[in-house]
Amino acid sequence: MSQRESVLQRRVTLGAMLDTESFTEVVRGFVELYRVGIKVFDDKGAKLADIKIGNGDFCGYVFSFPEGRRRCTATVGRVKDGPLALSHGARLPVLEPDLVPQARGMLTVPCFTGLRYLIVPIAWEGDQIGRVVFGPFMPEDLKDFAPKTLTEIAEGFDVGNAKTLVGKVRRAPEGTIARVMLHFGQLLQTMLFGGQKMYLTSQLHIEATLDNNRELEERNKRLEDANTRLKELDRLKSAFLATVSHELRTPLTSIIGYSEMLAEGLAGPLNGEQVDYVRTIMEKGETLLKLISSILDISQIEAGKVRLNFEPMDAVELINGSLSSLRPQVQKKGVALEAKLPAKMAMVSGDRDRLRQVIVNLLTNAVKFTPKGGRVAVTLTDVQQQPDLNAPGYRILVEDSGVGIPADQFDKIFNSFYQVDSSSTREYGGAGLGLAIVKSFVEGHGGVVRVASEMGHGSRFTLVLPVTPSTQQHILITPPVTSVSPADDRF
Amino acid sequence: MQLNHAQRELTVKIVYYGPGLSGKTTNLQMVHQRTSPEVRGRLLTVETHDDRTLFFDLLPVFFSTANGFKVKVKLFTVPGQVIHNATRRIVLQGADAVAFIADSRRAAAAENNAYWKNLVENMKENNLDPAQVPVVIQYNKRDLPDTKTDAEIEETRKKGKEPVVGAIAIRGIGVLETLYAVLQSAFRSLEARAGLTKNIGLGEREFLTQVFANIDVTGTELERILPPRTPGARP
Ligand SMILES: Nc1nc2c(ncn2[C@@H]2O[C@H](COP(=O)(O)OP(=O)(O)OP(=O)(O)O)[C@@H](O)[C@H]2O)c(=O)[nH]1
Ligand SMILES: Nc1ncnc2c1ncn2[C@@H]1O[C@H](COP(=O)(O)OP(=O)(O)O)[C@@H](O)[C@H]1O
Ligand SMILES: [Mg+2]
Ligand SMILES: [Mg+2]
């Protein structure tokens, strides 16, 4: 799915747009050419460049006095972090009229020493993203150095020394410094534009490369998954063919074999033994019939040809009917069969024959996978609101104390032809279709089927069915749609 | 949209999308030419030597509302070449509206359709709901032979709900009309989602008037829609 937020969605900072090293070189060149110090800050006050010239000795001397240090710190603070507005001691610079329009936003901040600073905001796409500070310089218009604000900082302040030291500071009219500053501003805009372009494109290049990789990986993953699924399907299909041919051939062979024996008069008139033979023929015939009908059912479902017939029905009667058809098997196997039914239950709607098939399939499995002496129970609950369905419904639970199902197979056992043990030597018969049919029919009713199990202790299948199946009278069960049709052409 | 109440700032993102060489960059160049420099940044373009967009073009336009809210409209183009799909997807992130620049020649229909589907896919990849992000379609290059007739365009217009604008971007025809339509759609969608009038006191009329206040609309359809302006003056 979606990537992380792109650089295009973020605010670009001054620092990201400027390459610090080359920017510092440019600033140094400017400083040396015009002999005025330049500082550049971003809008958070972080320093991007700071090149000083000429004022070091003078400022150092002033700074050596505690009061000088205090006043100096205040001035520097004003220049760096103070508002870009005509307040806190800032005023408009004195400029020749032709410069005024271009110098919009420029401020003069006087220093208590008589020196001065000029500040100009860095504008970018309508925002102020930082500031440039020029200075300190000695204003041309300052007649008598040193002013009282400087001399008063200490008793022992040496005016003569200060005068000598301040001589190294560039002396110029405000207007001259302002011109240099405008020139610098234009250069800065060009550098920012180039820097922004470099920054955005290099970032975007990285983002696009990462995104391409991500897409490739996803595609590989999908292919691998599809491949695994195909292999699995293939394996299932072969297992199915083996099973079906085995399951079909064995009863047929029996029928033929025993019939032959009868026909050849090997048994003579029907005695006890013969009765057994005939029973065997009947049993095998039934097995074959069931299997063939399951295969028929599933192929009908997969071809999307099954219609459910919803009509009012009595769920208690449904369970009882299913149980009675299971009794012979249960007795033969020697497991206990128990039913917990509500005393009285509301009428529900459903396809009686299909639901009966569902319950018989579940009970058949329960009996089949439970060893002699085990226990099988079926429970029906009364109608109540079902959170799984978000509608009123009822539940049917089929539990056994049998071999159990590994948790990682809970989904797979509902696939057609899937069996936990599909080896040819498996001890239980069947074609792996029972649960696939269960699932299709239950979902055709708008219900759900769930399984819980503990290996060696038993399994529980839970059906949650709505009182009224969610759709209209007749429902067509169709296999899941996997491909999506492309949107219609717009042009 | 990015709405920053603390900084009183609204950013609206418009993306020009469409097949390669349909005229996306040309649209942005024309808007740039017609917009006065105080309210826009430079046109940032990253192109190959043969003028194909490599990453994107970006033209920012900004103004302040009467309420003192800063509004930035960022116009982006995507690269149209097939191989740049990842970049297209990234540039499309967070788009508030899309101007789909189609080549109106009949022979280009298949290409237009392919990119239309690509737009929908990439919107989904970006968690944008194609039903929610408004799109305006521009039929560009109407000066070329084989262009669809008005009647044919009208026919395809009816297939969807998107506003449709005819254009010859290279001569600036239909470019501002497209921009107007896409900004209007964007505003309406943001208004419905974020209640701009109620929350920041910015209505559709002020939004559109302010954006176009510093764009020269002489000779376009917009002259009839927008209030007359005094050249160079801010509203
Ligand atoms: N005849 C004509 N040519 C145009 C028109 N609009 C743009 N073009 C030309 O079409 C070519 C491509 O225009 P671009 O704006 O670069 O196209 P694009 O959509 O940005 O292309 P990519 O960046 O590769 O996606 C250029 O040569 C333009 O001059 C138009 O209305 N008519
Ligand atoms: N009650 C159960 N106890 C243990 N395993 C079960 C139970 N019900 C189903 N299974 C497992 O699920 C598989 C698929 O069941 P089903 O579709 O009914 O096919 P069949 O019973 O014909 O093998 C079974 O082969 C078995 O491995
Ligand atoms: Mg079974
Ligand atoms: Mg382009």
Side-chain angles (χ1 to χ4, degrees):
Chain A
M1 246 334 251
S2 176
Q3 329 79 11
R4 57 209 176 88
E5 196 190 52
S6 164
V7 65
L8 298 181
Q9 300 292 94
R10 298 194 293 266
R11 180 186 281 268
V12 182
T13 62
L14 197 53
M17 285 192 270
L18 292 173
D19 171 53
T20 324
E21 218 168 287
S22 51
F23 181 59
T24 307
E25 278 317 299
V26 172
V27 175
R28 190 185 309 283
F30 242 83
V31 168
E32 279 163 10
L33 186 61
Y34 296 105
R35 304 201 53 77
V36 191
I38 300 179
K39 295 183 180 57
V40 179
F41 301 98
D42 73 9
D43 56 350
K44 304 271 186 308
K47 202 186 278 177
L48 294 159
D50 182 4
I51 310 287
K52 300 184 179 72
I53 196 161
N55 66 317
D57 293 342
F58 173 69
C59 292
Y61 179 60
V62 174
F63 211 76
S64 67
F65 299 94
E67 180 58 16
R69 187 147 58 237
R70 199 190 60 75
R71 292 189 186 189
C72 181
T73 310
T75 309
V76 170
R78 166 66 188 93
V79 162
K80 174 172 173 281
D81 299 315
L84 288 164
L86 292 168
S87 65
H88 300 74
R91 60 165 173 78
L92 284 175
V94 181
L95 302 172
E96 288 131 65
D98 69 304
L99 271 191
V100 173
Q102 300 168 59
R104 213 187 308 148
M106 199 184 279
L107 298 171
T108 298
V109 177
C111 176
F112 68 99
T113 58
L115 300 182
R116 263 169 227 173
Y117 290 93
L118 282 188
I119 321 177
V120 73
I122 303 170
W124 186 253
E125 293 176 5
D127 290 331
Q128 294 188 348
I129 59 168
R131 64 180 69 185
V132 180
V133 177
F134 266 55
F137 61 93
M138 171 60 82
E140 191 69 54
D141 53 272
L142 187 76
K143 288 294 169 295
D144 28 34
F145 184 83
K148 185 164 178 295
T149 42
L150 176 58
T151 52
E152 74 192 5
I153 63 170
E155 289 281 299
F157 188 80
D158 180 349
V159 178
N161 183 34
K163 270 190 177 150
T164 318
L165 295 176
V166 91
K168 292 186 213 158
V169 178
R170 164 97 196 252
R171 189 179 178 96
E174 263 176 37
T176 305
I177 302 294
R179 255 179 227 284
V180 175
M181 215 167 172
L182 287 176
H183 181 183
F184 182 79
Q186 280 162 5
L187 186 77
L188 182 58
Q189 286 290 322
T190 310
M191 288 187 76
L192 285 177
F193 184 70
Q196 183 204 29
K197 184 163 164 169
M198 281 280 288
Y199 177 70
L200 290 183
T201 53
S202 60
Q203 292 296 310
L204 213 67
H205 180 68
I206 295 170
E207 287 177 15
T209 309
L210 288 176
D211 202 44
N212 266 329
N213 284 348
R214 178 190 60 89
E215 205 176 32
L216 278 178
E217 270 166 27
E218 273 173 17
R219 212 172 283 169
N220 277 348
K221 176 87 174 57
R222 275 201 298 275
L223 279 177
E224 265 169 34
D225 288 354
N227 200 19
T228 321
R229 264 202 309 280
L230 280 179
K231 279 191 189 146
E232 171 79 355
L233 278 179
D234 208 47
R235 196 187 63 74
L236 287 175
K237 204 179 271 173
S238 324
F240 160 67
L241 284 177
T243 310
V244 166
S245 52
H246 175 76
E247 294 288 334
L248 285 178
R249 217 179 286 123
T250 313
L252 273 175
T253 317
S254 304
I255 291 166
I256 293 162
Y258 288 117
S259 306
E260 261 175 14
M261 279 188 254
L262 282 175
E264 284 170 20
L266 281 182
L270 283 184
N271 53 30
E273 202 181 4
Q274 290 167 332
V275 171
D276 278 350
Y277 287 173
V278 175
R279 268 211 197 111
T280 309
I281 295 170
M282 275 167 57
E283 251 173 51
K284 296 292 181 189
E286 255 166 51
T287 309
L288 187 57
L289 200 68
K290 273 185 200 153
L291 179 61
I292 291 170
S293 70
S294 290
I295 293 175
L296 262 165
D297 275 340
I298 206 75
S299 47
Q300 296 272 62
I301 289 172
E302 283 177 353
K305 286 186 185 150
V306 174
R307 277 180 184 282
L308 296 183
N309 243 324
F310 298 139
E311 48 191 6
M313 59 168 211
D314 179 346
V316 175
E317 210 178 279
L318 175 78
I319 304 279
N320 281 329
S322 314
L323 285 173
S324 63
S325 72
L326 251 281
R327 281 246 150 73
Q329 272 167 264
V330 171
Q331 255 154 29
K332 197 173 152 196
K333 183 85 189 261
V335 296
L337 179 58
E338 196 192 334
K340 292 176 227 163
L341 307 174
K344 179 170 144 295
M345 190 174 152
M347 288 292 273
V348 296
S349 171
D351 183 323
R352 190 177 309 148
D353 292 339
R354 310 289 192 186
L355 286 181
R356 186 186 149 100
Q357 208 178 330
V358 164
I359 294 156
V360 168
N361 281 356
L362 290 178
L363 283 170
T364 308
N365 283 347
V367 173
K368 183 160 71 178
F369 294 104
T370 302
K372 195 176 166 69
R375 201 183 58 88
V376 171
V378 53
T379 310
L380 172 67
T381 68
D382 205 340
V383 170
Q384 62 191 76
Q385 184 67 21
Q386 301 290 344
D388 305 66
L389 308 177
N390 222 343
Y394 58 105
R395 287 171 183 247
I396 300 169
L397 276 66
V398 178
E399 292 162 283
D400 63 55
S401 62
V403 297
I405 304 162
D408 63 349
Q409 316 261 325
F410 285 178
D411 288 332
K412 293 188 183 155
I413 54 172
F414 292 99
N415 293 342
S416 327
F417 308 120
Y418 190 88
Q419 295 177 310
V420 171
D421 177 9
S422 65
S423 63
S424 54
T425 56
R426 66 196 156 72
E427 34 175 324
Y428 314 100
L433 292 176
L435 290 179
I437 293 171
V438 166
K439 186 168 153 76
S440 293
F441 286 169
V442 169
E443 288 177 357
H445 278 77
V448 294
V449 50
R450 274 200 308 264
V451 56
S453 177
E454 210 186 325
M455 286 304 283
H457 289 92
S459 312
R460 176 169 67 229
F461 287 81
T462 307
L463 308 181
V464 190
L465 288 158
V467 169
T468 323
S470 38
T471 15
Q472 64 281 47
Q473 264 269 302
H474 300 283
I475 255 198
L476 191 62
I477 303 183
T478 46
V481 183
T482 44
S483 66
V484 188
S485 62
D488 286 342
D489 284 348
R490 179 67 183 82
F491 292 90
Chain B
M1 175 194 64
Q2 290 172 337
L3 183 57
N4 186 331
H5 275 285
Q7 303 201 11
R8 296 181 60 74
E9 186 179 294
L10 168 72
T11 307
V12 178
K13 178 169 180 177
I14 307 294
V15 175
Y16 283 68
Y17 210 94
L21 298 177
S22 64
K24 301 176 290 295
T25 299
T26 308
N27 264 271
L28 234 59
Q29 285 166 340
M30 290 298 156
V31 174
H32 177 254
Q33 264 181 32
R34 293 255 190 160
T35 312
S36 67
E38 315 91 74
V39 299
R40 59 154 169 82
R42 297 196 211 184
L43 175 62
L44 197 162
T45 61
V46 193
E47 291 180 332
T48 61
H49 57 90
D50 54 353
D51 290 348
R52 304 299 304 265
T53 300
L54 195 52
F55 291 108
F56 58 86
D57 305 309
L58 164 60
L59 178 65
V61 178
F62 35 84
F63 65 87
S64 289
T65 69
N67 273 354
F69 230 85
K70 220 182 309 168
V71 179
K72 294 186 189 171
V73 178
K74 294 198 166 176
L75 307 176
F76 282 94
T77 73
V78 299
Q81 282 170 289
V82 178
I83 48 160
H84 296 312
N85 192 39
T87 311
R88 267 198 294 286
R89 191 159 53 217
I90 292 168
V91 175
L92 189 62
Q93 249 185 48
D96 296 305
V98 171
F100 189 92
I101 311 301
D103 186 326
S104 43
R105 283 175 289 181
R106 292 189 188 88
E111 181 95 331
N112 290 334
N113 281 323
Y115 275 76
W116 184 261
K117 277 170 202 159
N118 174 260
L119 170 64
V120 172
E121 276 164 23
N122 280 339
M123 280 188 180
K124 289 181 185 158
E125 287 277 332
N126 278 317
N127 288 329
L128 291 171
D129 179 356
Q132 298 293 318
V133 181
V135 182
V136 170
I137 294 174
Q138 177 187 94
Y139 275 94
N140 189 27
K141 305 198 181 183
R142 300 223 48 217
D143 54 327
L144 293 179
D146 188 39
T147 178
K148 286 192 179 186
T149 61
D150 287 355
E152 284 170 309
I153 289 180
E154 177 57 18
E155 219 27 62
T156 42
R157 188 187 65 76
K158 286 192 215 142
K159 288 195 199 174
K161 57 175 177 23
E162 298 81 14
V164 166
V165 183
I168 307 173
I170 204 168
R171 285 192 232 144
I173 297 171
V175 168
L176 296 182
E177 288 83 347
T178 304
L179 179 64
Y180 187 90
V182 75
L183 286 175
Q184 185 173 51
S185 307
F187 185 90
R188 287 181 183 174
S189 139
L190 295 180
E191 176 72 7
R193 256 195 305 138
L196 296 180
T197 309
K198 189 163 144 273
N199 286 322
I200 68 169
L202 175 64
E204 177 181 322
R205 186 153 179 84
E206 184 184 358
F207 177 71
L208 292 170
T209 313
Q210 289 261 39
V211 174
F212 284 93
N214 290 288
I215 298 180
D216 180 6
V217 297
T218 320
T220 72
E221 293 286 308
L222 301 182
E223 270 186 314
R224 291 187 294 113
I225 304 171
L226 292 162
R229 63 186 206 121
T230 24
R234 283 188 61 82

